Amino acid sequence: MTTATTVAALIAALNDRSPAVRQRAAETLGELEEVQAVEPLTRALKDSDTNVRVHVALALGMIGDMRATAPLAYALKYEENEAVKGALETALDMVKQKVMSKKMRIF
């Protein structure tokens, strides 16, 4: 089980000076599917490092929260890096699939 302290530390690490630390924090939040991280991750879509932006986008896709849809689409509209664009497209697809999967479980 993930503790609130661990999640808070990972969210804080999204602002670390090291791109490697920011990237790993995003990856871990995605792996944990931590919905608390959606808003901090959407802010991190503007990170100066392309690898960080790729992993932030994929983390949002792994979490699969609808709140990420508009920020992902907005980032995709203005992103210039092709690798990041691909990650943003993948993340949008992942969110859509998770949302549809949740809706199907209702029936």
Side-chain angles (χ1 to χ4, degrees):
M1 178 175 252
T2 307
T3 67
T5 305
T6 302
V7 172
L10 288 167
I11 289 171
L14 293 172
N15 296 311
D16 195 271
R17 290 178 51 180
S18 167
V21 170
R22 296 192 308 271
Q23 177 180 326
R24 187 65 190 128
E27 290 171 352
T28 304
L29 289 165
E31 290 166 1
L32 295 172
E33 296 184 10
E34 186 54 60
V35 281
Q36 260 185 282
V38 171
E39 289 181 30
L41 284 166
T42 58
R43 288 191 297 273
L45 286 169
K46 299 175 184 172
D47 196 281
S48 61
D49 187 275
T50 56
N51 288 328
V52 172
R53 291 197 310 275
V54 164
H55 290 280
V56 165
L58 295 175
L60 286 166
M62 292 170 76
I63 294 168
D65 190 291
M66 262 316 269
R67 295 174 295 162
T69 304
L72 286 165
Y74 182 84
L76 180 58
K77 183 176 179 179
Y78 294 101
E79 180 60 55
E80 295 179 4
N81 182 281
E82 291 302 317
V84 179
K85 282 182 179 182
L88 290 163
E89 290 171 346
T90 298
L92 282 165
D93 287 342
M94 292 168 76
V95 170
K96 289 176 189 171
Q97 288 176 1
K98 282 208 169 201
V99 169
M100 291 305 295
S101 174
K102 289 176 188 175
K103 287 183 178 181
M104 294 304 288
R105 280 187 249 154
I106 293 172
F107 298 105

